[in-house]
Amino acid sequence: MITVILLAAIWLVSFRIADLFTVFKTYSSVWFLPSGVTMAMVMAAPGWLKLVPLLAHLSLASPPMRQVFDIHITSDFDLLLHSIRIYLIYGGTGLFLTQVMRITLPFRTWGEVQWFIGAALVAASVASAAGIGQSVLLGELDPGAALPLAEPWFLGDALGAIMVPPMLVPAIMLALGRPLGDWRWPSPRAFALQALTLSLAALIGALGPMLEISLWYLLLPSVIVFALRGGLEHAATAAFLTCVLTPAVAMIFTGAVEVSGLPPLLLTTAIAALLVGAATTERQQTAERLEAQVAQRTEELEKAYELQRHLVRSLGHDLRQPVEAINLTVAAIGDHSDIAMRNTALTRVRQLGAVTSDLLTRILAYARLDTGDIKAELAPLPLHQLLDQLRVTYIPQAQKRAQRLVWPETDITVISDRELLFQILSNYLDNAIRLTPEGGTVELRIERRDTGIGIIIKDGFDPTAPHRSSRGGLGLRIVSQLSDLLGAAMVNEPNRKGIILPLKG
């Protein structure tokens, strides 16, 4: 109820103010505020509250309301026609903008401001023509005297329709608790500066006739400067202040004659301010988006650079494991004369060579990991084949440290990328061997879970023992990215590292 009373009071006050600067009796004014107030309320108010402007207008049929607002109406029938005409034209324009053109509120973009200005001008044209026609049909105006009123009537309605909604729409939304998005009200200091500057410009303009020169044009650059500096929000307040202050100053210093020539200038100033303000706001938003994109791209490049650093640091490590295993195996060949033993060793060397070749191929692909070029090639993968490849690679390293590797027997087949999964487990296994004390045990386990198949590597790391930190494999960051590509979850528990592969690839 409080909202209804507030909205109705705003509309009634605007109707009363419209008579303050009357130039052509009651048929036209420098600005006809109910046009813009009606449009703004229909645009911003929800549900049935859109009817408040019509209800407020019809309430003037009550004698107490007329007395309170000092409004003189010739007949209730005239009031009924007037209220319906105003509501249908300007309320319909507000619905057209929000429901048909789907402009966002508060409107701020160049395109939305263009649609608003165009619709307001069309509405003012229709309203002035309908108002003059109504007055002629009701016998309130002589047809010969009605035509000259078309231009000032249009200018007054258009000025009211354009100067009010850009500020009243966000004000109504704020009162109703609706989000204002990116809308930012000018600070009190900025508002006071605008009022002072525009009052001074209006005063200079009013003093122009004394010098036999027109200085009203000084209003336009003042408003444009505020629009260029502050965007649409500052342009809206500057246009409103210009249209409010200028007629008042003109009436004080020059009288109604000078006021009658102001509507074209004020309308042009309001339109120019809103268009320049909207263009400035859109430019500012574009600049902010570009800055955000540059910052995002810079961050991506920094991450990519860090990834490459990880790759470079890990290349020697990843290549050293199979090469060291090959060297150890070749050295063992010289220590044994048994042909079967040598054949077994040569078979292991060939396997290690294949592992090294695959590793080199994959490392080249990892250089593109952060750009999204690398894709997981999911296919059925018997886990025992992957475990055999890991065992061939890391048994020599474990034997060198007198460690025991425990491997499960499994017939499970998963859907995954063989090379990506090998690199993930290689990282965990290498770290486990490095961190487990000499003579300890490293165990690889296969665990069935509700969420998938877990491949877990259990190490013998003692956190209380002195040790050297180690960055194994392609690093935790790369392992995390590879896990994401596989759709797998990482396991990071004390002495237990690994991943959980989903049940379905």
Side-chain angles (χ1 to χ4, degrees):
M1 180 59 67
I2 295 178
T3 303
V4 175
I5 295 175
L6 176 63
L7 294 178
I10 292 174
W11 194 95
L12 290 170
V13 170
S14 71
F15 191 89
R16 178 66 185 91
I17 292 176
D19 288 334
L20 292 181
F21 297 116
T22 301
V23 179
F24 298 98
K25 299 181 180 179
T26 59
Y27 305 114
S28 179
S29 63
V30 173
W31 25 251
F32 183 61
L33 294 180
S35 60
V37 174
T38 299
M39 188 188 305
M41 288 185 178
V42 172
M43 291 175 69
W48 70 272
L49 291 178
K50 297 180 184 297
L51 294 173
V52 169
L54 177 61
L55 298 177
H57 203 161
L58 293 175
S59 71
L60 294 176
S62 169
M65 293 295 293
R66 297 183 190 179
Q67 183 176 1
V68 169
F69 289 94
D70 191 24
I71 295 175
H72 304 282
I73 298 176
T74 56
S75 69
D76 291 339
F77 181 70
D78 184 22
L79 170 66
L80 177 63
L81 291 180
H82 186 63
S83 60
I84 293 177
R85 174 174 61 85
I86 293 299
Y87 187 78
L88 288 179
I89 294 174
Y90 292 106
T93 301
L95 289 176
F96 169 77
L97 291 172
T98 55
Q99 303 300 319
V100 179
M101 298 313 303
R102 300 288 183 181
I103 68 173
T104 57
L105 299 178
F107 49 87
R108 297 177 80 238
T109 68
W110 169 260
E112 290 172 343
V113 170
Q114 281 185 307
W115 273 108
F116 162 70
I117 292 175
L121 292 177
V122 171
S125 300
V126 174
S128 61
I132 291 176
Q134 175 184 325
S135 298
V136 171
L137 291 176
L138 294 178
E140 298 173 351
L141 277 178
D142 181 80
L147 191 58
L149 297 179
E151 179 184 357
W153 201 324
F154 161 76
L155 291 173
D157 273 28
L159 192 55
I162 287 176
M163 65 176 279
V164 175
M167 284 192 64
L168 187 56
V169 165
I172 293 175
M173 294 176 65
L174 180 64
L176 296 176
R178 297 177 58 184
L180 296 180
D182 295 331
W183 180 274
R184 296 293 181 268
W185 292 100
S187 65
R189 180 179 178 182
F191 191 84
L193 178 62
Q194 286 187 2
L196 179 61
T197 303
L198 295 173
S199 296
L200 181 60
L203 178 60
I204 295 175
L207 296 177
M210 301 180 185
L211 304 175
E212 298 183 353
I213 186 174
S214 177
L215 297 176
W216 291 114
Y217 69 89
L218 294 176
L219 292 169
L220 184 58
S222 302
V223 174
I224 296 300
V225 168
F226 289 121
L228 286 172
R229 290 184 59 85
L232 183 62
E233 293 90 343
H234 288 251
T237 57
F240 182 83
L241 288 173
T242 300
C243 295
V244 170
L245 295 173
T246 305
V249 173
M251 285 289 292
I252 294 173
F253 289 94
T254 64
V257 175
E258 186 69 21
V259 175
S260 64
L262 286 178
L265 173 63
L266 296 180
L267 181 60
T268 302
T269 300
I271 292 175
L274 294 179
L275 289 175
V276 172
T280 301
T281 293
E282 196 156 296
R283 179 186 61 80
Q284 292 171 345
Q285 291 175 339
T286 301
E288 291 173 358
R289 286 196 299 268
L290 289 175
E291 290 177 1
Q293 291 174 359
V294 169
Q296 179 182 0
R297 185 55 181 161
T298 300
E299 183 180 358
E300 291 174 353
L301 290 174
E302 290 176 350
K303 289 181 178 180
Y305 173 70
E306 185 63 24
L307 173 64
Q308 299 306 316
R309 291 182 61 194
H310 277 292
L311 280 171
V312 171
R313 285 197 298 263
S314 63
L315 277 177
H317 169 270
D318 292 318
L319 289 174
R320 186 177 67 251
Q321 301 308 317
V323 171
E324 184 177 347
I326 290 174
N327 292 335
L328 292 173
T329 304
V330 170
I333 293 177
D335 297 335
H336 297 276
S337 58
D338 184 80
I339 298 299
M341 181 65 71
R342 290 188 175 187
N343 289 337
T344 301
L346 289 173
T347 299
R348 179 175 294 179
V349 169
R350 284 194 293 270
Q351 292 174 335
L352 290 170
V355 169
T356 304
S357 178
D358 291 341
L359 178 60
L360 286 172
T361 300
R362 211 61 187 180
I363 284 175
L364 294 176
Y366 293 150
R368 306 191 308 272
L369 181 61
D370 236 24
T371 66
D373 292 339
I374 187 171
K375 305 296 182 182
E377 299 176 3
L378 303 179
L381 172 62
L383 281 182
H384 72 86
Q385 295 181 2
L386 184 66
L387 298 186
D388 289 342
Q389 184 179 359
L390 289 168
R391 184 162 42 227
V392 167
T393 304
Y394 285 97
I395 278 182
Q397 182 181 347
Q399 289 176 343
K400 187 177 180 180
R401 296 175 56 83
Q403 294 173 341
R404 187 169 68 96
L405 296 183
V406 179
W407 300 87
E409 296 293 335
T410 180
D411 58 355
I412 296 177
T413 297
V414 297
I415 305 298
S416 188
D417 185 301
R418 180 190 185 99
E419 297 301 335
L420 297 183
L421 185 55
F422 176 83
Q423 288 301 319
I424 293 173
L425 297 177
S426 176
N427 177 83
Y428 287 134
L429 186 57
D430 179 82
N431 281 344
I433 293 174
R434 285 177 172 273
L435 296 176
T436 299
E438 293 188 7
T441 299
V442 176
E443 181 181 0
L444 191 147
R445 296 178 177 178
I446 306 296
E447 300 178 357
R448 291 183 178 271
R449 303 192 180 189
D450 294 338
T451 56
I453 304 298
I455 307 177
I456 311 299
I457 297 173
K458 184 176 183 298
D459 60 52
F461 171 65
D462 182 2
T464 63
H467 65 280
R468 294 183 306 168
S469 61
S470 173
R471 186 190 297 272
L474 292 175
L476 181 61
R477 179 169 174 270
I478 298 178
V479 168
S480 175
Q481 290 178 293
L482 297 179
S483 299
D484 290 340
L485 287 175
L486 296 179
M490 298 178 63
V491 176
N492 187 14
E493 302 170 356
N495 300 110
R496 288 167 53 86
K497 303 294 186 291
I499 64 170
I500 301 175
L501 297 172
L503 294 175
K504 294 183 179 180

